[in-house]
Amino acid sequence: MRFYIVDAFSDRVFGGNQAGVVILKKGEDFPADEIMKKTAAELRYSETAFVRPGDSDVFELRYFTPAAEVDLCGHATIGTFCALMDEGSVHEGDVCRALTRAGEIEVRTDDGGILMDMADPEYIGPLDEAEEADSLAGIMGIGSDGLDVSMGPKMISTGLADVMMPVKDEKVLDMIDPDFDALADFSKRLDVVGVHAFTVNGEDGRIHARNFAPLYDIDEEAATGTSNGALAYYLYICADEKRDLDITVVQGEKMGRPSVIRAMLENKNGDIKIRVGGSAKILAKGDIMLT
């Protein structure tokens, strides 16, 4: 099997969020789940995508963390189509279909990067009680006075459920120091992947974010496509005036891997579509030997 290491949501290597990509031959079955999980653990990235080419523009994708399979992963999808372009299976300007466990999504490629559809957005709801928000703030190491109470934490999904946690400013965002065991228990109890902390009050005028998913062995992630798609929907439902959005989110700075993620929300007669994208760079490629 061919493998790639791709830096997604970055226009240079050693930036963005690294993903493993394993490309199967057309008609080849996916390896056993345990093999895919072990491969993800061996590559040591937060997610590894396994892709099986189908007919024409159709590709089936499965995603594994070192601990478990997940239904969808934004940065690994961006990495996958960057690798497929390098392989010659996808070309600039193509519109492809990715079959995932979160549903079928459309992926577009152009010279400005790769743009992928998110699954239909779902507002799961706010945290049930006020003390839940206070408890989360304590787990994250900032205290409830660090939260942006004008919006408040809410659970959103665009394929994977996360808690969106608004904080007052970049200083508070930088201060976050989670109790990872407690955060994993909190995430498990709410049936979410993790917490996406953000501030709309970036000193540079942009949104800044950090993402934590210790339940899936990801203490912090440098770029998360699904979470920033969910963030776009969060901002939409919190806004007094409902209008289309095109936001840029900076993530991964605390990890020394700055990422730039574009998230777009379009409302067409009540049908809301969210797309997330960015650039990607290939760091390495080669062959995986399983025998």
Side-chain angles (χ1 to χ4, degrees):
M1 298 184 293
R2 294 283 291 166
F3 83 92
Y4 282 78
I5 297 169
V6 184
D7 294 334
F9 297 116
S10 177
D11 61 0
R12 64 196 68 185
V13 294
F14 305 122
N17 198 0
Q18 289 177 305
V21 178
V22 178
I23 301 176
L24 308 179
K25 295 177 181 178
K26 187 174 181 179
E28 182 180 3
D29 288 336
F30 284 106
D33 288 7
E34 188 64 21
I35 293 294
M36 289 191 282
K37 188 167 71 173
K38 286 182 177 180
T39 301
E42 192 78 7
L43 290 175
R44 294 183 174 86
Y45 300 115
S46 56
E47 278 94 2
T48 293
F50 294 79
V51 54
R52 180 169 63 181
D55 294 332
S56 184
D57 59 350
V58 178
F59 300 87
E60 185 177 357
L61 277 72
R62 293 178 66 183
Y63 310 89
F64 283 79
T65 76
E69 184 172 13
V70 295
D71 290 341
L72 183 65
C73 175
H75 80 273
T77 303
I78 299 295
T80 292
F81 281 86
C82 176
L84 289 170
M85 289 180 74
D86 184 74
E87 291 268 295
S89 301
V90 173
H91 303 91
E92 187 177 306
D94 283 354
V95 178
C96 303
R97 290 186 293 147
L99 309 182
T100 78
R101 293 199 168 191
E104 180 180 317
I105 59 176
E106 186 177 270
V107 180
R108 301 168 182 265
T109 61
D110 59 39
D111 58 0
I114 298 163
L115 198 64
M116 59 178 284
D117 283 355
M118 295 284 96
D120 291 340
E122 178 185 3
Y123 174 43
I124 300 168
L127 300 189
D128 289 337
E129 304 289 344
E131 54 264 30
E132 286 273 34
D134 292 342
S135 173
L136 175 59
I139 289 170
M140 303 302 282
I142 59 172
S144 56
D145 60 345
L147 295 175
D148 182 345
V149 295
S150 66
M151 296 185 284
K154 294 176 174 59
M155 293 178 285
I156 305 282
S157 173
T158 51
L160 297 175
D162 275 310
V163 176
M164 300 290 113
M165 190 184 84
V167 300
K168 288 182 176 179
D169 51 39
E170 280 190 73
K171 183 178 179 181
V172 175
L173 188 70
D174 187 65
M175 287 170 52
I176 291 175
D177 185 17
D179 177 336
F180 289 114
D181 289 338
L183 181 55
D185 291 341
F186 186 89
S187 302
K188 185 175 184 178
R189 179 165 57 81
L190 294 182
D191 194 24
V192 298
V193 172
V195 172
H196 196 61
F198 70 94
T199 179
V200 296
N201 299 315
E203 295 176 2
D204 58 0
R206 296 191 291 185
I207 298 168
H208 291 253
R210 297 176 66 187
N211 187 275
F212 308 90
L215 181 61
Y216 287 85
D217 287 354
I218 306 167
D219 286 347
E220 184 167 0
E221 194 155 38
T224 42
T226 53
S227 298
N228 285 300
L231 175 56
Y233 190 57
Y234 173 99
L235 296 174
Y236 176 81
I237 63 175
C238 286
D240 293 330
E241 182 182 353
K242 301 297 186 256
R243 58 184 181 183
D244 294 352
L245 296 174
D246 190 341
I247 62 173
T248 298
V249 183
V250 181
Q251 189 180 328
E253 295 164 295
K254 186 76 172 181
M255 303 173 68
R257 297 192 67 90
S259 308
V260 179
I261 304 106
R262 184 184 183 192
M264 304 166 62
L265 181 149
E266 186 178 22
N267 186 342
K268 287 189 174 181
N269 300 317
D271 183 19
I272 294 177
K273 291 292 185 185
I274 297 175
R275 296 181 175 89
V276 170
S279 301
K281 287 291 183 180
I282 294 168
L283 176 66
K285 59 184 176 179
D287 295 304
I288 292 178
M289 310 296 187
L290 293 179
T291 56

